[in-house]
Amino acid sequence: MLQFSASFGRLLLELKKLPGVGEKTALRLAFHLLKSPGNIEALANSLISVAKNVHLCSVCFGITEDDPCVICSGGRDDSVICVVEESQDMLAIERSHAFRGKYHVLQGALSPLSGITPSQLRIAELLERLRHSQTREVILATNFSVEGEATALYLAKILKDLGLKVTRLAHGIPLGSDIEYVDAATVQRAVEGRSEF
Amino acid sequence: MILSRLSVQSFRNLAATTVEFGTGFNIFCGDNAQGKTNILESIYLLGTLKSFRMAKNPELIGWEKQFSLIKGLISDDGLNREVDLLLDQAGKKVRVDQKTVVRVADFFGILTVVLFSPEELTMVRGAPESRRRYLDRAIFAGDVIYLTRHHEYMRILKQRNALLRSGDTSSLEPWNEQLAVAGAQLVTSRVGYIGNIDKLLKETFREITDTNDEVAISYHSGSLAYSEDLNDNIDRLAAALNKRREPELLQRTTLTGPHRDDIVFTINGKPLRHSSSQGQQRCFVLALKMAEIELLRRCRSVSPVLLLDDMTSELDSRRIANLLKFLTDRRMQVFVTTTGTNDFELFEDNNLRLFHVEQGTVRPANKA
């Protein structure tokens, strides 16, 4: 494509860096944009504006335009902090309106295979934060993967030593689903972790 | 269950064909290197998605062909199901009754196969890995969750080993905890399975050999003595991990866990690999396979299909007769490859179908 237009070729290469976008999708997106110059400008502007204005909150490390973010500066419950891996996990919990406390985004999970150790996560910042706050409970809401579980176990040990109440999100059968369609391993965990009615 | 029809297309050296099978013995005879074992391999693939010769797709796909297709019609208790397996350079695709299968659990169990082939003697003489692989496959044939657990354990193990290699082990503790739980789950399944199979093995060995030799199979894990209780095993494995921390830090790899365990076969109290003839070792493995069939039949109400590769070179005629009786009594469907048909004269069974295999062509023959 570079032989037709150098800038078009560069656009393709940039698009292909995005997750889930390959050669074909990149071409489709690029041609679509070419056909509507108005959209190109709007997209370009929003990209530049995101790059300029959006950064991580210095308190919770979620994405924000103001520092500290609306959640950290607003009148949320100070006594509970929910620890998640990524900003999108925080969005998911916010969407549920189930939680009125504050968050802490680790920016990843422990994974020796990818070279991610505790020092690369925002764990030191979390401990520093806890030292200066009224927090009594920490909810560990890392993913239920091998890596998320390791991160939760690691944090639980440290946090319990600080005398905090440490909880973990419940896991099991998805709401509104039929038990018959849930995979066997999940059903087994749900049976093991059943609660009294 | 019965595999009543098999179609293959561009699979190894086999010519495109559709074969109807009998419900009893199906015997493929022909000279060496004609394609007899390829038929068994295609059936094994339909049941397990794996080749028992550890072959990758490019070797399985016919010469200068793009893909191969294996189709089977399986009937179980009056229920007919069609399994299509497509092999191409990218991988394997399965369809059950014309529908693409997404979850392994929807596929496994439709055709359960048990294989006995000459190569399996490596289980007696080879490295522990071959015995672990056998055990894992055998457990998985009756327990789908075991596979999920196994994947999880391997993932934790890889992460933990990466951490040990990195030299910075300050965050080892959460990986120990997870490894102990996931590992103990595997071990508990394995110990339970071995306990069951050991009882049946003693029966089947006697049935096939007519001897009073005392055979046994047991689970070995160095100095660790596991029980059948999960929580107990978690504690033991966790304690063992703590105890071996120093050598692990030195060798930078995980030294304790189900990935290091072994299965020990004994005859009259002595290890099978040292103290027995090749014939005895063959009988042992064969009896183990029969025990596996019995366990599937009794505990899971599954009647598997048996694949016997090159059976006649394995056993003397009295033991073959015992084996055939064992299989006839249980009305098993059996697929056998052999270079001669003599041994089957032993056995006047109407439920016998003979096929000639020549240069990749399979055709039904009249009973010899």
Side-chain angles (χ1 to χ4, degrees), chain A residues 110-114 117-118 145-147 149-150 153-154 181-185 188-189 192, chain B residues 103 145 148-149 152 155-156 158-160 162-163 165 168 170-171 173-175 177-178 185:
Chain A
L110 292 179
S111 174
L113 281 171
S114 323
T117 59
S145 59
V146 161
E147 293 75 16
E149 200 69 38
L153 287 167
Y154 179 81
Y181 297 125
V182 178
D183 69 282
Q188 199 172 37
R189 291 256 163 101
E192 282 163 8
Chain B
R103 294 191 308 189
I145 297 177
T148 318
R149 292 254 163 87
E152 191 182 82
R155 175 101 195 146
I156 297 167
K158 263 194 198 152
Q159 289 280 21
R160 190 174 187 272
L163 191 64
R165 267 197 309 280
D168 169 24
S170 52
S171 56
E173 203 44 49
W175 297 107
E177 243 175 88
Q178 286 205 81
Q185 278 170 338

Short mmCIF file of all heavy atoms in Angstrom, two decimals, chain A residues 110-114 117-118 145-147 149-150 153-154 181-185 188-189 192, chain B residues 103 145 148-149 152 155-156 158-160 162-163 165 168 170-171 173-175 177-178 185:
data_model
loop_
_atom_site.label_atom_id
_atom_site.label_comp_id
_atom_site.label_asym_id
_atom_site.label_seq_id
_atom_site.Cartn_x
_atom_site.Cartn_y
_atom_site.Cartn_z
N LEU A 110 -0.05 -10.19 38.75
CA LEU A 110 1.24 -10.88 38.83
C LEU A 110 1.35 -11.92 37.72
O LEU A 110 0.46 -12.73 37.53
CB LEU A 110 1.39 -11.60 40.18
CG LEU A 110 1.52 -10.73 41.42
CD1 LEU A 110 1.62 -11.62 42.65
CD2 LEU A 110 2.74 -9.83 41.30
N SER A 111 2.42 -11.90 36.95
CA SER A 111 2.64 -12.91 35.92
C SER A 111 4.14 -13.04 35.64
O SER A 111 4.68 -12.31 34.81
CB SER A 111 1.90 -12.54 34.64
OG SER A 111 2.24 -13.46 33.63
N PRO A 112 4.80 -13.95 36.36
CA PRO A 112 6.24 -14.12 36.15
C PRO A 112 6.59 -14.38 34.68
O PRO A 112 7.63 -13.96 34.19
CB PRO A 112 6.58 -15.33 37.02
CG PRO A 112 5.54 -15.36 38.07
CD PRO A 112 4.30 -14.83 37.42
N LEU A 113 5.68 -15.08 33.95
CA LEU A 113 5.95 -15.38 32.54
C LEU A 113 6.06 -14.11 31.70
O LEU A 113 6.81 -14.05 30.74
CB LEU A 113 4.84 -16.26 31.96
CG LEU A 113 4.90 -17.75 32.29
CD1 LEU A 113 3.63 -18.43 31.83
CD2 LEU A 113 6.11 -18.40 31.63
N SER A 114 5.31 -13.08 32.07
CA SER A 114 5.41 -11.80 31.35
C SER A 114 6.31 -10.84 32.09
O SER A 114 6.35 -9.65 31.78
CB SER A 114 4.03 -11.18 31.17
OG SER A 114 3.05 -12.14 30.94
N THR A 117 6.13 -8.44 38.24
CA THR A 117 6.36 -8.73 39.66
C THR A 117 5.59 -7.70 40.48
O THR A 117 5.09 -6.72 39.93
CB THR A 117 7.85 -8.62 39.98
OG1 THR A 117 8.27 -7.28 39.66
CG2 THR A 117 8.68 -9.60 39.17
N PRO A 118 5.49 -7.92 41.79
CA PRO A 118 4.73 -6.96 42.62
C PRO A 118 5.19 -5.52 42.44
O PRO A 118 4.38 -4.59 42.49
CB PRO A 118 5.01 -7.45 44.04
CG PRO A 118 5.26 -8.91 43.89
CD PRO A 118 5.95 -9.07 42.58
N SER A 145 -8.53 -15.66 37.14
CA SER A 145 -7.57 -16.44 36.37
C SER A 145 -6.47 -16.85 37.34
O SER A 145 -6.44 -16.40 38.48
CB SER A 145 -6.99 -15.57 35.26
OG SER A 145 -6.36 -14.44 35.83
N VAL A 146 -5.57 -17.69 36.86
CA VAL A 146 -4.44 -18.12 37.67
C VAL A 146 -3.66 -16.89 38.17
O VAL A 146 -3.25 -16.80 39.32
CB VAL A 146 -3.55 -19.07 36.85
CG1 VAL A 146 -2.17 -19.17 37.42
CG2 VAL A 146 -4.21 -20.43 36.75
N GLU A 147 -3.50 -15.90 37.28
CA GLU A 147 -2.72 -14.71 37.60
C GLU A 147 -3.47 -13.81 38.58
O GLU A 147 -2.88 -13.29 39.54
CB GLU A 147 -2.38 -13.93 36.31
CG GLU A 147 -1.44 -14.65 35.37
CD GLU A 147 -2.09 -15.78 34.58
OE1 GLU A 147 -3.34 -15.82 34.53
OE2 GLU A 147 -1.37 -16.63 34.02
N GLU A 149 -5.75 -14.70 40.67
CA GLU A 149 -5.83 -15.41 41.95
C GLU A 149 -4.52 -15.25 42.73
O GLU A 149 -4.52 -15.01 43.94
CB GLU A 149 -6.13 -16.89 41.68
CG GLU A 149 -6.71 -17.65 42.84
CD GLU A 149 -8.12 -17.23 43.19
OE1 GLU A 149 -8.93 -16.94 42.28
OE2 GLU A 149 -8.41 -17.18 44.38
N ALA A 150 -3.39 -15.35 42.01
CA ALA A 150 -2.09 -15.19 42.66
C ALA A 150 -1.96 -13.79 43.24
O ALA A 150 -1.48 -13.60 44.37
CB ALA A 150 -0.96 -15.46 41.67
N LEU A 153 -4.07 -13.56 46.38
CA LEU A 153 -3.43 -14.25 47.51
C LEU A 153 -2.28 -13.42 48.07
O LEU A 153 -2.09 -13.31 49.27
CB LEU A 153 -2.93 -15.62 47.06
CG LEU A 153 -3.98 -16.69 46.82
CD1 LEU A 153 -3.38 -17.89 46.08
CD2 LEU A 153 -4.60 -17.14 48.13
N TYR A 154 -1.50 -12.85 47.16
CA TYR A 154 -0.35 -12.04 47.55
C TYR A 154 -0.79 -10.84 48.40
O TYR A 154 -0.25 -10.58 49.48
CB TYR A 154 0.40 -11.57 46.31
CG TYR A 154 1.60 -10.71 46.59
CD1 TYR A 154 2.82 -11.28 46.96
CD2 TYR A 154 1.52 -9.32 46.50
CE1 TYR A 154 3.92 -10.49 47.24
CE2 TYR A 154 2.61 -8.52 46.78
CZ TYR A 154 3.81 -9.11 47.14
OH TYR A 154 4.91 -8.33 47.41
N TYR A 181 -26.49 -25.03 31.41
CA TYR A 181 -25.58 -24.54 30.38
C TYR A 181 -24.23 -24.09 30.93
O TYR A 181 -23.37 -23.65 30.20
CB TYR A 181 -26.23 -23.39 29.60
CG TYR A 181 -27.46 -23.81 28.85
CD1 TYR A 181 -28.67 -23.15 29.03
CD2 TYR A 181 -27.41 -24.89 27.97
CE1 TYR A 181 -29.81 -23.56 28.36
CE2 TYR A 181 -28.54 -25.30 27.30
CZ TYR A 181 -29.75 -24.64 27.49
OH TYR A 181 -30.86 -25.04 26.83
N VAL A 182 -24.07 -24.16 32.24
CA VAL A 182 -22.83 -23.70 32.83
C VAL A 182 -21.80 -24.84 32.81
O VAL A 182 -22.16 -25.99 32.99
CB VAL A 182 -23.08 -23.23 34.29
CG1 VAL A 182 -21.79 -22.79 34.94
CG2 VAL A 182 -24.09 -22.09 34.29
N ASP A 183 -20.53 -24.49 32.53
CA ASP A 183 -19.53 -25.55 32.41
C ASP A 183 -19.29 -26.25 33.75
O ASP A 183 -19.51 -25.69 34.82
CB ASP A 183 -18.22 -24.99 31.84
CG ASP A 183 -17.52 -24.09 32.83
OD1 ASP A 183 -17.95 -22.92 32.96
OD2 ASP A 183 -16.59 -24.55 33.49
N ALA A 184 -18.85 -27.49 33.63
CA ALA A 184 -18.76 -28.37 34.80
C ALA A 184 -17.87 -27.81 35.90
O ALA A 184 -18.20 -27.90 37.09
CB ALA A 184 -18.27 -29.75 34.36
N ALA A 185 -16.73 -27.21 35.53
CA ALA A 185 -15.80 -26.71 36.54
C ALA A 185 -16.44 -25.59 37.36
O ALA A 185 -16.27 -25.51 38.58
CB ALA A 185 -14.52 -26.22 35.88
N GLN A 188 -19.01 -27.00 39.75
CA GLN A 188 -18.35 -27.63 40.89
C GLN A 188 -17.93 -26.59 41.93
O GLN A 188 -18.18 -26.74 43.11
CB GLN A 188 -17.15 -28.42 40.39
CG GLN A 188 -16.70 -29.44 41.40
CD GLN A 188 -15.63 -30.35 40.85
OE1 GLN A 188 -14.78 -29.89 40.09
NE2 GLN A 188 -15.67 -31.61 41.19
N ARG A 189 -17.33 -25.49 41.44
CA ARG A 189 -16.92 -24.42 42.36
C ARG A 189 -18.13 -23.82 43.06
O ARG A 189 -18.07 -23.49 44.25
CB ARG A 189 -16.21 -23.29 41.58
CG ARG A 189 -14.86 -23.70 41.04
CD ARG A 189 -13.73 -23.11 41.87
NE ARG A 189 -12.50 -23.83 41.59
CZ ARG A 189 -11.54 -23.37 40.77
NH1 ARG A 189 -11.66 -22.20 40.20
NH2 ARG A 189 -10.47 -24.08 40.56
N GLU A 192 -19.21 -26.12 45.80
CA GLU A 192 -18.28 -26.05 46.92
C GLU A 192 -18.47 -24.76 47.73
O GLU A 192 -18.37 -24.76 48.95
CB GLU A 192 -16.82 -26.11 46.41
CG GLU A 192 -16.36 -27.50 46.03
CD GLU A 192 -15.11 -27.48 45.16
OE1 GLU A 192 -14.50 -26.40 44.98
OE2 GLU A 192 -14.75 -28.56 44.66
N ARG B 103 -17.30 -26.41 22.77
CA ARG B 103 -16.72 -26.83 24.04
C ARG B 103 -16.30 -28.29 23.99
O ARG B 103 -17.05 -29.12 23.47
CB ARG B 103 -17.75 -26.63 25.17
CG ARG B 103 -18.06 -25.17 25.39
CD ARG B 103 -18.86 -24.99 26.65
NE ARG B 103 -20.03 -25.86 26.67
CZ ARG B 103 -20.97 -25.77 27.59
NH1 ARG B 103 -20.85 -24.88 28.54
NH2 ARG B 103 -22.01 -26.57 27.58
N ILE B 145 -13.89 -32.69 33.99
CA ILE B 145 -13.31 -31.58 34.76
C ILE B 145 -11.80 -31.76 34.93
O ILE B 145 -11.06 -30.79 35.05
CB ILE B 145 -14.00 -31.47 36.14
CG1 ILE B 145 -15.48 -31.14 35.93
CG2 ILE B 145 -13.35 -30.40 36.99
CD1 ILE B 145 -16.27 -31.07 37.19
N THR B 148 -9.71 -29.59 32.64
CA THR B 148 -9.67 -28.19 33.06
C THR B 148 -8.66 -28.01 34.20
O THR B 148 -7.86 -27.09 34.20
CB THR B 148 -11.06 -27.76 33.58
OG1 THR B 148 -12.05 -28.28 32.70
CG2 THR B 148 -11.17 -26.25 33.66
N ARG B 149 -8.74 -28.93 35.15
CA ARG B 149 -7.84 -28.88 36.31
C ARG B 149 -6.39 -29.02 35.89
O ARG B 149 -5.50 -28.34 36.40
CB ARG B 149 -8.18 -30.04 37.25
CG ARG B 149 -9.52 -29.91 37.91
CD ARG B 149 -9.30 -29.52 39.36
NE ARG B 149 -10.50 -28.99 39.96
CZ ARG B 149 -11.44 -29.74 40.52
NH1 ARG B 149 -11.31 -31.05 40.54
NH2 ARG B 149 -12.49 -29.18 41.05
N GLU B 152 -5.13 -25.88 34.35
CA GLU B 152 -4.92 -24.87 35.38
C GLU B 152 -3.61 -25.14 36.12
O GLU B 152 -2.80 -24.23 36.32
CB GLU B 152 -6.10 -24.93 36.36
CG GLU B 152 -6.12 -23.77 37.32
CD GLU B 152 -7.26 -23.89 38.31
OE1 GLU B 152 -7.11 -24.62 39.31
OE2 GLU B 152 -8.31 -23.28 38.07
N ARG B 155 -0.60 -24.22 34.04
CA ARG B 155 -0.46 -22.77 33.93
C ARG B 155 0.24 -22.22 35.20
O ARG B 155 1.16 -21.41 35.12
CB ARG B 155 -1.86 -22.17 33.76
CG ARG B 155 -1.92 -20.69 33.76
CD ARG B 155 -2.04 -20.13 32.36
NE ARG B 155 -1.74 -18.70 32.38
CZ ARG B 155 -1.14 -18.07 31.41
NH1 ARG B 155 -0.79 -18.72 30.33
NH2 ARG B 155 -0.88 -16.78 31.49
N ILE B 156 -0.22 -22.69 36.34
CA ILE B 156 0.38 -22.24 37.61
C ILE B 156 1.85 -22.68 37.65
O ILE B 156 2.74 -21.91 38.03
CB ILE B 156 -0.39 -22.82 38.82
CG1 ILE B 156 -1.83 -22.30 38.82
CG2 ILE B 156 0.30 -22.45 40.13
CD1 ILE B 156 -2.74 -23.04 39.76
N LYS B 158 3.91 -23.26 35.19
CA LYS B 158 4.73 -22.45 34.28
C LYS B 158 5.06 -21.10 34.90
O LYS B 158 6.20 -20.62 34.82
CB LYS B 158 3.96 -22.20 32.97
CG LYS B 158 4.32 -23.17 31.87
CD LYS B 158 3.77 -22.64 30.56
CE LYS B 158 3.70 -23.72 29.53
NZ LYS B 158 2.64 -23.48 28.55
N GLN B 159 4.04 -20.48 35.50
CA GLN B 159 4.25 -19.18 36.14
C GLN B 159 5.25 -19.31 37.29
O GLN B 159 6.15 -18.49 37.44
CB GLN B 159 2.92 -18.64 36.69
CG GLN B 159 1.94 -18.18 35.62
CD GLN B 159 2.26 -16.80 35.07
OE1 GLN B 159 3.39 -16.31 35.18
NE2 GLN B 159 1.29 -16.17 34.45
N ARG B 160 5.08 -20.37 38.08
CA ARG B 160 5.95 -20.55 39.24
C ARG B 160 7.39 -20.80 38.78
O ARG B 160 8.34 -20.27 39.36
CB ARG B 160 5.44 -21.71 40.10
CG ARG B 160 6.15 -21.82 41.44
CD ARG B 160 5.52 -22.90 42.30
NE ARG B 160 6.09 -22.91 43.64
CZ ARG B 160 7.17 -23.59 43.98
NH1 ARG B 160 7.80 -24.31 43.07
NH2 ARG B 160 7.63 -23.54 45.22
N ALA B 162 8.74 -19.79 36.02
CA ALA B 162 9.26 -18.52 35.50
C ALA B 162 9.77 -17.66 36.64
O ALA B 162 10.82 -17.01 36.55
CB ALA B 162 8.18 -17.79 34.70
N LEU B 163 9.01 -17.68 37.75
CA LEU B 163 9.40 -16.90 38.91
C LEU B 163 10.70 -17.43 39.51
O LEU B 163 11.60 -16.66 39.86
CB LEU B 163 8.28 -16.94 39.95
CG LEU B 163 8.40 -15.97 41.12
CD1 LEU B 163 8.33 -14.55 40.61
CD2 LEU B 163 7.30 -16.22 42.15
N ARG B 165 13.01 -19.06 37.96
CA ARG B 165 14.10 -18.75 37.02
C ARG B 165 14.55 -17.30 37.16
O ARG B 165 15.72 -16.99 37.02
CB ARG B 165 13.66 -18.99 35.57
CG ARG B 165 13.98 -20.37 35.05
CD ARG B 165 13.91 -20.42 33.53
NE ARG B 165 12.67 -19.86 33.00
CZ ARG B 165 11.52 -20.52 32.95
NH1 ARG B 165 11.44 -21.76 33.39
NH2 ARG B 165 10.44 -19.96 32.43
N ASP B 168 14.04 -13.73 41.58
CA ASP B 168 13.37 -12.89 42.58
C ASP B 168 12.15 -13.63 43.10
O ASP B 168 11.11 -13.67 42.46
CB ASP B 168 12.95 -11.55 41.95
CG ASP B 168 12.02 -10.77 42.87
OD1 ASP B 168 12.07 -10.99 44.10
OD2 ASP B 168 11.25 -9.93 42.36
N SER B 170 10.47 -13.21 46.01
CA SER B 170 9.76 -12.59 47.14
C SER B 170 8.26 -12.83 47.04
O SER B 170 7.57 -12.84 48.06
CB SER B 170 10.06 -11.09 47.17
OG SER B 170 9.80 -10.52 45.91
N SER B 171 7.74 -13.04 45.82
CA SER B 171 6.29 -13.26 45.69
C SER B 171 5.98 -14.72 45.37
O SER B 171 5.05 -15.03 44.63
CB SER B 171 5.70 -12.34 44.63
OG SER B 171 6.36 -12.52 43.41
N GLU B 173 5.01 -17.03 47.53
CA GLU B 173 3.98 -17.62 48.39
C GLU B 173 2.62 -17.84 47.70
O GLU B 173 2.08 -18.95 47.77
CB GLU B 173 3.83 -16.76 49.66
CG GLU B 173 3.24 -17.49 50.84
CD GLU B 173 3.83 -18.88 51.05
OE1 GLU B 173 5.08 -19.03 51.07
OE2 GLU B 173 3.01 -19.81 51.18
N PRO B 174 2.06 -16.83 47.00
CA PRO B 174 0.76 -17.09 46.35
C PRO B 174 0.82 -18.22 45.32
O PRO B 174 -0.16 -18.94 45.15
CB PRO B 174 0.42 -15.76 45.68
CG PRO B 174 1.65 -14.95 45.69
CD PRO B 174 2.47 -15.43 46.85
N TRP B 175 1.96 -18.38 44.67
CA TRP B 175 2.08 -19.46 43.68
C TRP B 175 2.17 -20.81 44.38
O TRP B 175 1.65 -21.80 43.89
CB TRP B 175 3.29 -19.23 42.77
CG TRP B 175 3.15 -17.97 41.98
CD1 TRP B 175 3.81 -16.79 42.17
CD2 TRP B 175 2.22 -17.72 40.91
NE1 TRP B 175 3.37 -15.84 41.28
CE2 TRP B 175 2.40 -16.39 40.50
CE3 TRP B 175 1.26 -18.51 40.27
CZ2 TRP B 175 1.65 -15.81 39.46
CZ3 TRP B 175 0.52 -17.94 39.24
CH2 TRP B 175 0.72 -16.61 38.85
N GLU B 177 0.69 -21.53 47.20
CA GLU B 177 -0.66 -21.83 47.66
C GLU B 177 -1.51 -22.39 46.53
O GLU B 177 -2.21 -23.38 46.69
CB GLU B 177 -1.30 -20.54 48.18
CG GLU B 177 -1.63 -20.57 49.66
CD GLU B 177 -2.15 -19.23 50.13
OE1 GLU B 177 -3.36 -19.01 50.04
OE2 GLU B 177 -1.32 -18.39 50.54
N GLN B 178 -1.43 -21.73 45.37
CA GLN B 178 -2.24 -22.18 44.23
C GLN B 178 -1.77 -23.52 43.71
O GLN B 178 -2.57 -24.38 43.34
CB GLN B 178 -2.16 -21.16 43.09
CG GLN B 178 -2.93 -19.91 43.34
CD GLN B 178 -3.32 -19.26 42.02
OE1 GLN B 178 -4.28 -19.64 41.37
NE2 GLN B 178 -2.55 -18.28 41.60
N GLN B 185 -5.58 -31.45 43.83
CA GLN B 185 -6.78 -31.91 43.13
C GLN B 185 -6.43 -32.99 42.11
O GLN B 185 -7.10 -34.01 42.00
CB GLN B 185 -7.47 -30.73 42.44
CG GLN B 185 -8.36 -29.95 43.40
CD GLN B 185 -8.86 -28.65 42.83
OE1 GLN B 185 -8.28 -28.11 41.90
NE2 GLN B 185 -9.93 -28.15 43.38
#
